[in-house]
Amino acid sequence: MVVERSSQQGLADVLVASNRGPVSYSVGDDGSLSAKRGGGGLVSGLSAIAADGAGGDGDRDGGGAVWVCAALGKGDREAVRRSGGKLDPADTGGQSVRMLDIPEETFADAYNGIANSVLWFVHHMLYQTPLEPSFDAEFERQWASYERYNAAFADALAEEAAEGATVLVQDYHLTLVPGLLRERRPDLRVGHFSHTPWAPPDYYRMLPDAVARQVLRGILGADRAAFLTRRWARGFADCCAAVLGASVAEDERTGEAVVTCEGRTTRLGVHGLGADGEFLRERAGREDVEERIAILRGEIGSDADDRPRRAIVRVDRTELSKNIVRGLHAYARLLADRPEWRGRVVHLALAYPSRQDLAVYRDYMSEVSRVADEINSTYGTEGWTPVVLFLKDDFARSLAAYRLADVALVNPIRDGMNLVAKEVPVVSDDGCALVLSREAGAHEELGPYAFVVNPYDIGDTARALHEALSMDHGPRAEHTARLASAATATPPTRWFLDQLAALREG
Ligand code: G6P
């Protein structure tokens, strides 16, 4: 069996598993399929697999790499049907991608029901606890789907992996995969990476006990469980101790925490994902970004003395944890408390749609628009619109906003890392002051050069906006340079290869 497997053609030595893959498909009116390659930290990080020289070539004996992901919508399902599951490399930038067509209802329960409505809420501490969560029969049904969805990934990985291969499992969608995969293929080196924060034990224990244990045991099925910051790794270790009675020690050689539970040990790694400076600088200099800068400058306009107004910029998915509504309230408070800024500043809020299958996200998006309108009707004048809100995703526009921002507002309630905080200083034209939540993972690296806020405190955030707007050009440029250098310390390729090496070394 062992010999057979490693000599089989097309088996992979490196495997990555994530819910969202590097490409998504849509079906045109004429039935044709078009592929769109995605961006974001996860996608660019995992794309490094190709840079390792291990990617894309599924033909070499056990030498290739494969990315296993789920079909997310109708177009993806059609692509799986037409391709048989292994996508056309022309659509994926050469990567070998296996997309799983998990039954639609199972997928919806696992993705919307459990991953995004329960595990995401727990780790970002988003529940309004007087009424939620309430783990009822519907939850139990959805949990069974989450188990099946995780099992489908474990089956596919077990099929695709060469003997002794290395598997990197991503995120809260796939917490059960490491344990399930170990049962199927004990020969593999398995890592799990959490891109989210990890909840502290008192909050984590809201989950039903059996589920709380199952999730931890699932991840502990990995040889190495990694996190974006020390704080989130500690949260996980604390939950293992509190919920499973696991013991946590420090490895003297590496300094990493080691969790021992039920006879198995799992190392905890910390890998902060950084911005991809080279890519961003090149992309931000292109023509489409220049065009959008001109448009945005038109929106920002000039003050009564004909000086260009200042720009406070935010760029986010319209995500509950990003705290966009409180950000707007803080901006309103700035205008109320510091009338000298009226007519002299514009808040560009780029908030593009996310997880719109969930009512709470749709409502949140409406609330963002409502509060922006309210600010504009309270303070706006003939020639000045205080908040300019963009609700459609446009990467070139995001980069244009990054380049011209005087102040970047990054105030999440809780965030695994937050790459926007790292990307703005890298491409800023003129220097940009950063207002940063202490609850963002990025705070661990960028805190010393930012205006740090408690994200729940409107007055504190308004004061920080004022200070950031008032910062002189010299110190602002110096801070931006320091932010940019801290932000690019671990670019996606390095981030990914470091994890692979650490997992292989064991
Ligand atoms: C976070 C998660 C990712 C996820 C992304 C976008 O960054 O850690 O796993 O892919 O959000 O969310 P979506 O639900 O659109 O994939």
Side-chain angles (χ1 to χ4, degrees), residues 12 14-18 20 42 45-47 49 65-69 96 98 153 157 166-170 174 496 500:
V14 179
L15 298 93
V16 169
S18 65
R20 184 178 289 279
L42 183 63
L46 299 184
S47 299
I49 208 166
V66 66
W67 187 335
V68 177
C69 60
S96 169
R98 174 157 170 197
F153 271 84
L157 292 164
T166 310
V167 187
L168 287 159
V169 180
Q170 308 298 313
L174 301 177
F496 184 83
L500 208 55

mmCIF file of all heavy atoms in Angstrom, residues 12 14-18 20 42 45-47 49 65-69 96 98 153 157 166-170 174 496 500:
data_model
loop_
_atom_site.group_PDB
_atom_site.id
_atom_site.type_symbol
_atom_site.label_atom_id
_atom_site.label_comp_id
_atom_site.label_asym_id
_atom_site.label_seq_id
_atom_site.Cartn_x
_atom_site.Cartn_y
_atom_site.Cartn_z
ATOM 1 N N ALA A 12 -0.131 14.317 -4.256
ATOM 2 C CA ALA A 12 0.523 15.573 -3.868
ATOM 3 C C ALA A 12 1.363 15.417 -2.610
ATOM 4 O O ALA A 12 0.993 14.694 -1.692
ATOM 5 C CB ALA A 12 -0.539 16.635 -3.647
ATOM 6 N N VAL A 14 2.308 18.351 -1.023
ATOM 7 C CA VAL A 14 1.828 19.469 -0.208
ATOM 8 C C VAL A 14 0.361 19.675 -0.543
ATOM 9 O O VAL A 14 -0.012 19.767 -1.711
ATOM 10 C CB VAL A 14 2.602 20.766 -0.524
ATOM 11 C CG1 VAL A 14 2.077 21.919 0.319
ATOM 12 C CG2 VAL A 14 4.090 20.575 -0.296
ATOM 13 N N LEU A 15 -0.465 19.744 0.495
ATOM 14 C CA LEU A 15 -1.898 19.959 0.269
ATOM 15 C C LEU A 15 -2.383 21.101 1.136
ATOM 16 O O LEU A 15 -1.948 21.246 2.291
ATOM 17 C CB LEU A 15 -2.700 18.698 0.606
ATOM 18 C CG LEU A 15 -2.362 17.460 -0.237
ATOM 19 C CD1 LEU A 15 -1.304 16.628 0.467
ATOM 20 C CD2 LEU A 15 -3.615 16.627 -0.486
ATOM 21 N N VAL A 16 -3.261 21.881 0.562
ATOM 22 C CA VAL A 16 -3.876 22.971 1.308
ATOM 23 C C VAL A 16 -5.374 22.756 1.255
ATOM 24 O O VAL A 16 -5.904 22.360 0.211
ATOM 25 C CB VAL A 16 -3.497 24.315 0.661
ATOM 26 C CG1 VAL A 16 -4.330 25.438 1.246
ATOM 27 C CG2 VAL A 16 -2.022 24.598 0.869
ATOM 28 N N ALA A 17 -6.045 22.963 2.363
ATOM 29 C CA ALA A 17 -7.502 22.839 2.364
ATOM 30 C C ALA A 17 -8.109 24.101 2.944
ATOM 31 O O ALA A 17 -7.697 24.553 4.016
ATOM 32 C CB ALA A 17 -7.915 21.632 3.199
ATOM 33 N N SER A 18 -9.047 24.679 2.218
ATOM 34 C CA SER A 18 -9.764 25.847 2.741
ATOM 35 C C SER A 18 -11.150 25.860 2.146
ATOM 36 O O SER A 18 -11.377 25.310 1.067
ATOM 37 C CB SER A 18 -9.029 27.136 2.367
ATOM 38 O OG SER A 18 -9.037 27.310 0.969
ATOM 39 N N ARG A 20 -12.925 28.542 0.995
ATOM 40 C CA ARG A 20 -12.896 29.349 -0.230
ATOM 41 C C ARG A 20 -11.605 29.063 -0.978
ATOM 42 O O ARG A 20 -10.525 29.173 -0.414
ATOM 43 C CB ARG A 20 -12.986 30.834 0.144
ATOM 44 C CG ARG A 20 -13.060 31.789 -1.048
ATOM 45 C CD ARG A 20 -13.206 33.233 -0.587
ATOM 46 N NE ARG A 20 -14.514 33.516 -0.030
ATOM 47 C CZ ARG A 20 -15.612 33.781 -0.748
ATOM 48 N NH1 ARG A 20 -15.551 33.833 -2.053
ATOM 49 N NH2 ARG A 20 -16.761 34.007 -0.158
ATOM 50 N N LEU A 42 -5.566 35.186 2.590
ATOM 51 C CA LEU A 42 -5.559 33.730 2.508
ATOM 52 C C LEU A 42 -5.138 33.285 1.113
ATOM 53 O O LEU A 42 -4.251 32.455 0.947
ATOM 54 C CB LEU A 42 -6.953 33.198 2.832
ATOM 55 C CG LEU A 42 -7.117 31.681 2.854
ATOM 56 C CD1 LEU A 42 -6.264 31.071 3.943
ATOM 57 C CD2 LEU A 42 -8.579 31.317 3.057
ATOM 58 N N GLY A 45 -1.508 34.223 0.389
ATOM 59 C CA GLY A 45 -0.626 33.402 1.216
ATOM 60 C C GLY A 45 -0.480 32.003 0.647
ATOM 61 O O GLY A 45 0.622 31.484 0.519
ATOM 62 N N LEU A 46 -1.598 31.430 0.296
ATOM 63 C CA LEU A 46 -1.541 30.056 -0.183
ATOM 64 C C LEU A 46 -0.997 29.963 -1.608
ATOM 65 O O LEU A 46 -0.516 28.917 -2.022
ATOM 66 C CB LEU A 46 -2.929 29.413 -0.088
ATOM 67 C CG LEU A 46 -3.479 29.353 1.334
ATOM 68 C CD1 LEU A 46 -4.809 28.624 1.362
ATOM 69 C CD2 LEU A 46 -2.507 28.701 2.292
ATOM 70 N N SER A 47 -1.069 31.075 -2.342
ATOM 71 C CA SER A 47 -0.517 31.065 -3.702
ATOM 72 C C SER A 47 0.991 30.839 -3.658
ATOM 73 O O SER A 47 1.597 30.451 -4.650
ATOM 74 C CB SER A 47 -0.802 32.377 -4.430
ATOM 75 O OG SER A 47 -2.183 32.542 -4.536
ATOM 76 N N ILE A 49 2.453 28.593 -2.536
ATOM 77 C CA ILE A 49 2.729 27.185 -2.789
ATOM 78 C C ILE A 49 3.377 27.007 -4.161
ATOM 79 O O ILE A 49 4.265 26.182 -4.354
ATOM 80 C CB ILE A 49 1.418 26.381 -2.668
ATOM 81 C CG1 ILE A 49 1.697 24.966 -2.242
ATOM 82 C CG2 ILE A 49 0.587 26.431 -3.907
ATOM 83 C CD1 ILE A 49 0.428 24.256 -1.799
ATOM 84 N N ALA A 65 1.481 19.858 -5.779
ATOM 85 C CA ALA A 65 0.728 20.409 -4.666
ATOM 86 C C ALA A 65 -0.718 20.505 -5.115
ATOM 87 O O ALA A 65 -0.991 20.718 -6.295
ATOM 88 C CB ALA A 65 1.259 21.788 -4.329
ATOM 89 N N VAL A 66 -1.628 20.336 -4.191
ATOM 90 C CA VAL A 66 -3.030 20.481 -4.564
ATOM 91 C C VAL A 66 -3.759 21.284 -3.501
ATOM 92 O O VAL A 66 -3.452 21.196 -2.315
ATOM 93 C CB VAL A 66 -3.696 19.098 -4.817
ATOM 94 C CG1 VAL A 66 -3.783 18.269 -3.562
ATOM 95 C CG2 VAL A 66 -5.088 19.260 -5.415
ATOM 96 N N TRP A 67 -4.675 22.110 -3.976
ATOM 97 C CA TRP A 67 -5.488 22.921 -3.089
ATOM 98 C C TRP A 67 -6.906 22.351 -3.131
ATOM 99 O O TRP A 67 -7.505 22.272 -4.205
ATOM 100 C CB TRP A 67 -5.454 24.360 -3.608
ATOM 101 C CG TRP A 67 -6.096 25.382 -2.723
ATOM 102 C CD1 TRP A 67 -7.069 25.186 -1.801
ATOM 103 C CD2 TRP A 67 -5.792 26.776 -2.694
ATOM 104 N NE1 TRP A 67 -7.398 26.359 -1.181
ATOM 105 C CE2 TRP A 67 -6.622 27.351 -1.713
ATOM 106 C CE3 TRP A 67 -4.900 27.584 -3.405
ATOM 107 C CZ2 TRP A 67 -6.596 28.718 -1.432
ATOM 108 C CZ3 TRP A 67 -4.885 28.933 -3.116
ATOM 109 C CH2 TRP A 67 -5.715 29.502 -2.135
ATOM 110 N N VAL A 68 -7.415 21.939 -1.990
ATOM 111 C CA VAL A 68 -8.775 21.385 -1.920
ATOM 112 C C VAL A 68 -9.698 22.450 -1.327
ATOM 113 O O VAL A 68 -9.400 23.013 -0.266
ATOM 114 C CB VAL A 68 -8.805 20.100 -1.046
ATOM 115 C CG1 VAL A 68 -10.229 19.563 -0.923
ATOM 116 C CG2 VAL A 68 -7.880 19.035 -1.634
ATOM 117 N N CYS A 69 -10.787 22.748 -2.029
ATOM 118 C CA CYS A 69 -11.712 23.792 -1.559
ATOM 119 C C CYS A 69 -13.149 23.374 -1.881
ATOM 120 O O CYS A 69 -13.377 22.374 -2.559
ATOM 121 C CB CYS A 69 -11.381 25.124 -2.231
ATOM 122 S SG CYS A 69 -11.509 25.062 -4.020
ATOM 123 N N SER A 96 -3.009 23.404 -9.103
ATOM 124 C CA SER A 96 -3.861 22.233 -9.157
ATOM 125 C C SER A 96 -4.911 22.380 -8.048
ATOM 126 O O SER A 96 -4.578 22.431 -6.870
ATOM 127 C CB SER A 96 -2.981 21.000 -8.946
ATOM 128 O OG SER A 96 -3.794 19.886 -8.745
ATOM 129 N N ARG A 98 -8.607 21.058 -6.485
ATOM 130 C CA ARG A 98 -9.753 20.145 -6.471
ATOM 131 C C ARG A 98 -10.893 20.814 -5.716
ATOM 132 O O ARG A 98 -10.768 21.145 -4.545
ATOM 133 C CB ARG A 98 -9.366 18.831 -5.794
ATOM 134 C CG ARG A 98 -10.573 17.937 -5.648
ATOM 135 C CD ARG A 98 -10.201 16.496 -5.522
ATOM 136 N NE ARG A 98 -11.366 15.723 -5.152
ATOM 137 C CZ ARG A 98 -11.319 14.499 -4.658
ATOM 138 N NH1 ARG A 98 -10.159 13.911 -4.485
ATOM 139 N NH2 ARG A 98 -12.422 13.856 -4.335
ATOM 140 N N PHE A 153 -14.027 16.899 3.183
ATOM 141 C CA PHE A 153 -12.657 17.414 2.995
ATOM 142 C C PHE A 153 -11.625 16.362 3.393
ATOM 143 O O PHE A 153 -10.632 16.155 2.688
ATOM 144 C CB PHE A 153 -12.442 18.686 3.827
ATOM 145 C CG PHE A 153 -12.806 19.950 3.114
ATOM 146 C CD1 PHE A 153 -14.119 20.401 3.083
ATOM 147 C CD2 PHE A 153 -11.839 20.703 2.449
ATOM 148 C CE1 PHE A 153 -14.457 21.573 2.417
ATOM 149 C CE2 PHE A 153 -12.163 21.870 1.782
ATOM 150 C CZ PHE A 153 -13.477 22.308 1.764
ATOM 151 N N LEU A 157 -8.753 14.888 0.919
ATOM 152 C CA LEU A 157 -7.325 15.042 1.241
ATOM 153 C C LEU A 157 -6.655 13.675 1.337
ATOM 154 O O LEU A 157 -5.539 13.480 0.844
ATOM 155 C CB LEU A 157 -7.163 15.818 2.558
ATOM 156 C CG LEU A 157 -7.577 17.292 2.498
ATOM 157 C CD1 LEU A 157 -7.748 17.861 3.904
ATOM 158 C CD2 LEU A 157 -6.540 18.123 1.718
ATOM 159 N N THR A 166 2.507 16.635 3.422
ATOM 160 C CA THR A 166 2.230 17.681 4.401
ATOM 161 C C THR A 166 0.912 18.364 4.028
ATOM 162 O O THR A 166 0.723 18.748 2.875
ATOM 163 C CB THR A 166 3.360 18.729 4.360
ATOM 164 O OG1 THR A 166 4.603 18.035 4.444
ATOM 165 C CG2 THR A 166 3.250 19.703 5.511
ATOM 166 N N VAL A 167 0.038 18.515 5.010
ATOM 167 C CA VAL A 167 -1.283 19.071 4.730
ATOM 168 C C VAL A 167 -1.515 20.296 5.607
ATOM 169 O O VAL A 167 -1.346 20.222 6.828
ATOM 170 C CB VAL A 167 -2.400 18.042 5.039
ATOM 171 C CG1 VAL A 167 -3.760 18.566 4.579
ATOM 172 C CG2 VAL A 167 -2.100 16.701 4.393
ATOM 173 N N LEU A 168 -1.907 21.403 4.982
ATOM 174 C CA LEU A 168 -2.174 22.620 5.747
ATOM 175 C C LEU A 168 -3.663 22.948 5.664
ATOM 176 O O LEU A 168 -4.177 23.347 4.620
ATOM 177 C CB LEU A 168 -1.339 23.767 5.189
ATOM 178 C CG LEU A 168 0.154 23.663 5.518
ATOM 179 C CD1 LEU A 168 0.988 24.492 4.570
ATOM 180 C CD2 LEU A 168 0.409 24.082 6.955
ATOM 181 N N VAL A 169 -4.337 22.771 6.780
ATOM 182 C CA VAL A 169 -5.794 22.940 6.840
ATOM 183 C C VAL A 169 -6.095 24.336 7.385
ATOM 184 O O VAL A 169 -5.507 24.742 8.397
ATOM 185 C CB VAL A 169 -6.405 21.872 7.776
ATOM 186 C CG1 VAL A 169 -7.913 22.027 7.858
ATOM 187 C CG2 VAL A 169 -6.024 20.466 7.307
ATOM 188 N N GLN A 170 -6.991 25.055 6.708
ATOM 189 C CA GLN A 170 -7.228 26.446 7.067
ATOM 190 C C GLN A 170 -8.559 26.677 7.791
ATOM 191 O O GLN A 170 -9.612 26.288 7.283
ATOM 192 C CB GLN A 170 -7.243 27.310 5.795
ATOM 193 C CG GLN A 170 -6.041 27.141 4.901
ATOM 194 C CD GLN A 170 -4.744 27.536 5.583
ATOM 195 O OE1 GLN A 170 -4.663 28.584 6.203
ATOM 196 N NE2 GLN A 170 -3.731 26.686 5.473
ATOM 197 N N LEU A 174 -12.977 24.322 9.011
ATOM 198 C CA LEU A 174 -12.416 22.968 8.891
ATOM 199 C C LEU A 174 -11.747 22.502 10.185
ATOM 200 O O LEU A 174 -10.697 21.870 10.151
ATOM 201 C CB LEU A 174 -11.410 22.937 7.724
ATOM 202 C CG LEU A 174 -11.990 23.316 6.358
ATOM 203 C CD1 LEU A 174 -10.895 23.326 5.281
ATOM 204 C CD2 LEU A 174 -13.105 22.349 5.945
ATOM 205 N N PHE A 496 3.873 31.488 4.457
ATOM 206 C CA PHE A 496 3.453 30.149 4.085
ATOM 207 C C PHE A 496 4.614 29.158 4.185
ATOM 208 O O PHE A 496 4.475 28.079 4.761
ATOM 209 C CB PHE A 496 2.904 30.179 2.657
ATOM 210 C CG PHE A 496 2.351 28.862 2.231
ATOM 211 C CD1 PHE A 496 1.064 28.496 2.581
ATOM 212 C CD2 PHE A 496 3.124 27.971 1.513
ATOM 213 C CE1 PHE A 496 0.557 27.268 2.212
ATOM 214 C CE2 PHE A 496 2.626 26.737 1.141
ATOM 215 C CZ PHE A 496 1.332 26.383 1.482
ATOM 216 N N LEU A 500 5.268 25.705 6.502
ATOM 217 C CA LEU A 500 5.542 24.406 5.893
ATOM 218 C C LEU A 500 6.810 23.815 6.512
ATOM 219 O O LEU A 500 6.848 22.645 6.896
ATOM 220 C CB LEU A 500 5.735 24.637 4.386
ATOM 221 C CG LEU A 500 5.404 23.518 3.441
ATOM 222 C CD1 LEU A 500 3.977 23.022 3.626
ATOM 223 C CD2 LEU A 500 5.603 23.986 1.993
#
